[in-house]
Amino acid sequence: MTHQTDELNNNFTLLRLLLAFMVVFGHFKLLVAGINIPPFPFNMADAAVYAFFVVSGFLITMSFERSHGLWPFYVRRVFRLYPMYVCIVVLQ
């Protein structure tokens, strides 16, 4: 079971990295050219952000389903998010 979870996380990590790259490339393209240029006539950054939110929502839902209640879920979320948040605030 652990192997499947690790494999699932690795695949989602790769997908999230690809979506993040699409956001960067989409913004870079718009900043340099000022317009949507072929071969991507749509705003790639917007599409990647929407897909990123879907994937992140799915992963958070899976995390909630693995938790043993609402309180442990929130405790895990706090310990996952706030250390980096505090680090960023202190560094700035």
Side-chain angles (χ1 to χ4, degrees):
M1 186 74 168
T2 304
H3 179 66
Q4 281 182 328
T5 304
D6 291 341
E7 186 176 314
L8 182 67
N9 288 337
N10 288 338
N11 291 338
F12 275 109
T13 300
L14 180 62
L15 178 61
R16 291 171 73 190
L17 182 63
L18 176 67
L19 292 170
F21 177 72
M22 287 173 58
V23 170
V24 170
F25 182 71
H27 286 133
F28 176 76
K29 169 176 74 118
L30 288 172
L31 287 173
V32 170
I35 57 169
N36 285 327
I37 54 175
F40 304 109
F42 65 97
N43 189 345
M44 184 186 331
D46 284 346
V49 167
Y50 296 142
F52 190 84
F53 280 134
V54 169
V55 170
S56 295
F58 176 74
L59 292 173
I60 290 171
T61 302
M62 284 180 45
S63 174
F64 176 73
E65 288 181 351
R66 282 193 311 261
S67 67
H68 300 291
L70 198 56
W71 179 251
F73 170 74
Y74 280 123
V75 169
R76 284 190 358 217
R77 294 302 300 163
V78 165
F79 282 112
R80 179 174 174 91
L81 298 174
Y82 276 94
M84 185 57 69
Y85 175 74
V86 169
C87 182
I88 295 292
V89 168
V90 168
L91 287 176
Q92 288 190 15

